[in-house]
Amino acid sequence: MDLVPALEEPLRQPLKSVLGPATAKVMAEHLGLLTVGDLLHHYPRRYEERGQLTHLADLPMDEHVTVVAQVADARLHTFASAKAPRGKGQRLEVTITDGSGRLQLVFFGAGVHKPHKELLPGTRAMFAGKVSVFNRRLQLAHPAYELLRGDPEESVETWAGALIPIYPATAKLESWKIGKAIQTVLPTAREAVEPLPESLREGRGLVPLPEALLKIHRPQTKADIEDARSRLKWDEAFVLQVALARRRHADAQLPAVPRRPAPDGLLTAFDARLPFTLTDGQQRVSREIFGDLATDHPMHRLLQGEVGSGKTMVALRAMLAVVDAGGQAAMLAPTEVLAQQHHRSIVEMMGELAEGGMLGGAEQATKVVLLTGSMGAAARRHALLDLTTGEAGIVIGTHALIEDKVQFHDLGLVVVDEQHRFGVEQRDALRGKGKQPPHLLVMTATPIPRTVAMTVFGDLETSVLDQLPAGRSPIASHVVPAADKPHFLSRAWERVREEVENGHQAYVVCPRIGDEEDDPKKSAKKRSPEDEAEKRPPLAVLDVADQLTKGPLKGLRVEILHGRMHPDDKDAVMRRFAAGETHVLVATTVIEVGVNVPNATAMVIMDADRFGVSQLHQLRGRVGRGSAPGLCLLVTEMPEASPARQRLGAVASTLDGFELSRIDLEQRREGDVLGQAQSGARTSLKVLAVIEDEEIIAEAREEATAVVAADPELSRLPALRTALDALLDEEREQYLEKG
């Protein structure tokens, strides 16, 4: 029988468990830790020094915390209650201190006996529990605790200076229990395999992996923690970059048909029609794309640019170049509204060049067809026929394009709009429709810092459009604190009326539709303690539209738009708004992407604190698209000092999407940002911070590219191959390959 390598041994087995079965079960269910190796890679979040204790003054509300502190006093009170009517109820109040502040602990009933004997004044201990407020004072009710008794051998100085690792924990498993479990398996760290090539490790002065694992879990000094973190960051960055480099290498081996535009073809005719000149950025990015299209392996390029930077124009020119070269191009949009909008604007931009085979069509013209799920059977049959015969050079659609029935004559380019809304499987299915792998261009309007692009989209080459085309207007953004200053909200509605009186239009955005069945459990559950504002459900389109038409916007033409409307109704609403027949559109985030109404100058975002930073930036990009300046009002009931208000303040203070994406990333954990796209790391990055560790990521990418170029199968580096397999299980490996 094969022996399971020590680090792959499951924590919980039918016959024997490395840990107690109950502990192993909680670790699997609540922390996703299944093997000894998983547990060794569950690193401390921070370290406490026994002599220099946590700041009790800075405790976050409603969170599970672990503090190291000393008991100042302990008092036992008796009281009468329904359960103990004769004054036999007992409550133990213990005050602990760390020099920076005090915190009250309370224990009730039978739970008072043990702490009453153990938590005597002067005792030091670790306490873990959820911070709550009682009588305006912070407290921990029934916290778990672990007394810190110095080893009799230890001197007071050694004991006070020892570093206590504090682990990411859950209510069911305190930090010190995780610590004890890790100490149980720590000896197996000596068997950890080295994923880094020897030359790389020695060249950068990194400690061996077994030593790094010992030092991160049982550091003697702060220098030990630094050594361990430097090493473990390199592991995470390097293994992930090797996965991406292997994928780039594999893509470069695929054959593709080079697509070079004909000298006096469709692209030349289109450029001649343009009433403006392309920006320098658009010209530069187009050159990069045309360079890729001319090669005999598939282009894989990410085109990122601010809302309104002219990405669609760049993508359209790439599609025309492919049609010129005898191929077809498909544009995949995340929603029907957006697919219809792209189709309309592309047909308008091309004019008679989009009327291939029709009377009045230009000589070099092609057909531009739309394919969505809600089309009638006859229109759909017609569109499918145009694709099969090659009559249609350009098709724009939703995931309806991916269905088995859709056949292309010669698919040469796939353009994916708003990458983060599309599954890899869907992109893969569309790419599989080409006779050979088609070229791929992915567009995103969410600015991504360079390191995130290298980590998340590391398999794609990146082009950035950072100039706005001429004629775009500035957008003024302001936070409207509706709870502190209700008159500010009244003024916001007056501003909307003023914009309409000046011949313009406005959007009002709400987080929810309002026709969903409210789940009583969900609404009863408090989302965050920041304020009463969080207790009520988010504002809804249907309610807000009703209040506005009866109140502050009475007399204006107000319509609603949300994702659950019938596609024809949605399209009709958008057409009326684009034609200027509607004054105010009350909508959900369906308008976030791609909706282009240059006459819309104002946007009011209700409950703006419920949206992410990049989402607010995307929404705001819908106004100021014409010659009149834009106005964006972020309405919130959050108190001034709350993190939510600071986030809104940041959005209001800058129009630089790259700056905002950095702020967004610093405020959320990287794992959220990397999400699925992190190309399948089973656990998100633990010690590597994509913003702070920019240098490590860039260097790891270079090293990984060189290693893969020399040995694509990693046959000379079996330990690296093992680490890669651990990062990418079977399913993830395929996910990466599909890209």
Side-chain angles (χ1 to χ4, degrees):
M1 179 182 130
D2 286 339
L3 287 171
V4 180
L7 270 68
E8 287 173 30
E9 198 168 334
L11 294 172
R12 183 171 159 211
Q13 293 166 304
L15 301 174
K16 69 176 183 69
S17 285
V18 175
L19 308 172
T23 307
K25 183 171 188 251
V26 173
M27 283 189 172
E29 287 174 6
H30 293 273
L31 295 168
L33 306 175
L34 306 173
T35 65
V36 171
D38 290 345
L39 186 52
L40 285 176
H41 288 291
H42 187 72
Y43 308 131
R45 176 177 286 155
R46 56 189 169 84
Y47 300 84
E48 292 292 3
E49 287 179 81
R50 284 169 172 150
Q52 171 205 330
L53 305 173
T54 333
H55 283 285
L56 293 182
D58 303 335
L59 288 181
M61 272 294 299
D62 248 27
E63 278 189 28
H64 282 278
V65 297
T66 301
V67 295
V68 179
Q70 185 169 338
V71 177
D73 69 34
R75 295 178 189 188
L76 191 62
H77 302 274
T78 53
F79 60 91
S81 71
K83 287 184 183 170
R86 298 200 195 116
K88 294 277 176 68
Q90 289 190 311
R91 181 175 79 247
L92 175 66
E93 291 180 1
V94 178
T95 305
I96 59 173
T97 179
D98 66 351
S100 77
R102 290 176 160 246
L103 180 65
Q104 186 150 6
L105 316 177
V106 288
F107 301 88
F108 293 99
V112 305
H113 306 308
K114 187 166 174 272
H116 189 218
K117 279 192 293 206
E118 294 182 335
L119 297 179
L120 304 172
T123 308
R124 280 184 161 161
M126 274 201 285
F127 302 92
K130 194 172 185 182
V131 184
S132 56
V133 171
F134 182 71
N135 280 346
R136 300 200 162 203
R137 288 168 67 192
L138 292 181
Q139 70 167 27
L140 296 181
H142 282 285
Y145 63 87
E146 176 90 337
L147 300 179
L148 296 173
R149 301 184 179 91
D151 196 315
E153 309 292 305
E154 278 182 317
S155 69
V156 175
E157 287 77 18
T158 326
W159 185 84
L163 293 160
I164 304 167
I166 305 291
Y167 290 93
T170 75
K172 295 233 161 89
L173 201 62
E174 293 88 15
S175 168
W176 57 83
K177 287 187 180 160
I178 295 171
K180 280 182 175 169
I182 287 172
Q183 295 303 335
T184 310
V185 301
L186 201 52
T188 56
R190 295 191 187 90
E191 296 175 46
V193 292
E194 274 289 353
L196 297 186
E198 194 65 17
S199 56
L200 188 159
R201 191 175 68 69
E202 287 179 353
R204 296 185 179 275
L206 299 168
V207 300
L209 181 57
E211 187 184 327
L213 290 169
L214 289 168
K215 282 182 168 175
I216 201 152
H217 292 299
R218 200 186 274 168
Q220 302 301 309
T221 62
K222 288 184 176 166
D224 282 355
I225 300 170
E226 274 315 297
D227 285 352
R229 287 179 68 83
S230 302
R231 164 61 212 250
L232 295 166
K233 280 181 176 190
W234 255 96
D235 277 20
E236 286 185 4
F238 181 70
V239 176
L240 185 55
Q241 290 300 336
V242 165
L244 294 164
R246 288 189 72 208
R247 195 164 139 206
R248 286 197 302 276
H249 184 272
D251 282 343
Q253 312 308 310
L254 292 172
V257 179
R259 310 281 180 174
R260 295 183 185 86
D264 288 316
L266 189 54
L267 180 62
T268 313
F270 174 75
D271 285 348
R273 281 180 55 88
L274 287 179
F276 51 82
T277 47
L278 299 174
T279 64
D280 294 346
Q282 285 175 316
Q283 290 178 13
R284 185 193 72 249
V285 171
S286 290
R287 281 196 296 275
E288 291 169 354
I289 291 170
F290 290 158
D292 285 358
L293 290 174
T295 60
D296 54 9
H297 57 83
M299 162 171 83
H300 288 104
R301 192 166 280 280
L302 173 70
L303 170 57
Q304 53 177 95
E306 288 285 7
V307 170
S309 57
K311 292 183 300 298
T312 311
M313 174 59 71
V314 169
L316 175 56
R317 292 184 75 243
M319 293 198 285
L320 295 174
V322 168
V323 175
D324 250 356
Q328 290 170 294
M331 183 185 245
L332 208 53
T335 64
E336 294 216 352
V337 168
L338 194 52
Q340 287 160 346
Q341 175 118 11
H342 274 317
H343 181 255
R344 242 193 331 268
S345 64
I346 283 174
V347 168
E348 275 167 26
M349 283 195 273
M350 287 176 64
E352 75 257 22
L353 296 175
E355 295 169 1
M358 290 186 251
L359 276 173
E363 191 186 335
Q364 304 95 329
T366 185
K367 237 184 208 180
V368 180
V369 301
L370 176 69
L371 194 61
T372 62
S374 63
M375 282 170 76
R380 188 179 171 75
R381 248 194 331 274
H382 211 85
L384 290 172
L385 187 64
D386 284 346
L387 285 183
T388 316
T389 59
E391 186 98 353
I394 296 177
V395 58
I396 296 150
T398 53
H399 46 263
L401 278 179
I402 298 160
E403 290 175 14
D404 293 342
K405 293 184 192 126
V406 180
Q407 297 297 324
F408 288 85
H409 177 63
D410 178 12
L411 181 60
L413 170 67
V414 175
V415 178
V416 179
D417 191 14
E418 286 303 317
Q419 145 93 11
H420 58 280
R421 289 155 187 264
F422 260 109
V424 171
E425 294 76 14
Q426 293 165 311
R427 272 167 33 213
D428 187 49
L430 189 53
R431 268 169 58 177
K433 290 187 176 293
K435 295 193 176 79
Q436 282 192 325
H439 299 281
L440 175 70
L441 179 65
V442 172
M443 301 197 295
T444 175
T446 309
I448 304 164
R450 176 172 157 262
T451 40
V452 182
M454 284 198 294
T455 311
V456 181
F457 301 110
D459 57 312
L460 301 169
E461 298 300 324
T462 306
S463 295
V464 179
L465 275 175
D466 45 15
Q467 285 173 286
L468 286 187
R472 291 296 304 244
S473 303
I475 305 169
S477 305
H478 304 283
V479 177
V480 178
D484 314 349
K485 299 178 177 167
H487 60 286
F488 274 35
L489 184 56
S490 309
R491 177 71 190 118
W493 300 126
E494 283 171 23
R495 282 291 291 114
V496 170
R497 288 195 87 97
E498 285 165 18
E499 289 298 312
V500 172
E501 279 159 18
N502 289 332
H504 298 301
Q505 293 160 278
Y507 297 100
V508 176
V509 181
C510 304
R512 156 181 104 93
I513 298 172
D515 60 354
E516 49 278 293
E517 288 297 310
D518 281 330
D519 179 344
K521 281 186 195 156
K522 276 188 192 163
S523 49
K525 193 173 154 200
K526 194 162 76 166
R527 281 179 37 159
S528 151
E530 280 192 335
D531 195 279
E532 287 296 305
E534 280 286 270
K535 287 186 182 173
R536 63 165 174 73
L539 290 171
V541 167
L542 302 178
D543 307 338
V544 169
D546 189 49
Q547 288 159 14
L548 291 177
T549 45
K550 290 174 181 164
L553 302 185
K554 194 172 180 181
L556 299 187
R557 287 193 296 280
V558 177
E559 288 210 64
I560 58 170
L561 181 71
H562 58 75
R564 283 215 290 276
M565 288 164 62
H566 187 278
D568 292 349
D569 297 341
K570 274 193 281 200
D571 198 39
V573 169
M574 268 323 298
R575 278 176 187 278
R576 285 195 292 274
F577 190 64
E581 294 166 22
T582 307
H583 295 138
V584 179
L585 189 61
V586 183
T588 55
T589 53
V590 292
I591 61 145
E592 177 188 353
V593 180
V595 173
N596 184 24
V597 180
N599 191 43
T601 51
M603 176 176 285
V604 181
I605 303 179
M606 308 302 291
D607 278 343
D609 46 90
R610 310 282 176 124
F611 298 98
V613 169
S614 47
Q615 202 174 23
L616 290 169
H617 182 58
Q618 285 275 70
L619 286 165
R620 168 172 66 185
R622 301 294 119 214
V623 295
R625 298 176 79 85
S627 51
L631 172 70
C632 179
L633 302 174
L634 307 166
V635 180
T636 178
E637 292 185 7
M638 283 294 158
E640 198 163 353
S642 64
R645 271 284 281 280
Q646 288 162 8
R647 209 168 60 231
L648 295 179
V651 174
S653 67
T654 177
L655 289 171
D656 181 341
F658 287 92
E659 178 56 30
L660 286 174
S661 66
R662 286 184 84 93
I663 293 168
D664 198 15
L665 207 54
E666 280 158 10
Q667 290 189 340
R668 309 189 314 183
R669 293 204 323 283
E670 268 90 12
D672 304 341
V673 177
L674 302 180
Q676 258 193 317
Q678 192 203 332
S679 5
R682 191 167 35 192
T683 48
S684 61
L685 304 179
K686 298 191 184 89
V687 283
L688 191 72
V690 269
I691 290 288
E692 288 162 33
D693 299 321
E694 190 159 346
E695 265 175 52
I696 294 179
I697 291 169
E699 289 171 20
R701 180 178 165 116
E702 274 178 40
E703 294 273 10
T705 306
V707 163
V708 170
D711 180 8
E713 291 306 310
L714 307 178
S715 46
R716 296 194 291 280
L717 296 165
L720 174 57
R721 183 78 234 202
T722 308
L724 205 57
D725 293 342
L727 177 79
L728 314 167
D729 48 34
E730 227 19 56
E731 169 197 354
R732 304 296 200 176
E733 184 79 84
Q734 286 166 2
Y735 177 99
L736 262 180
E737 279 166 8
K738 286 174 178 174

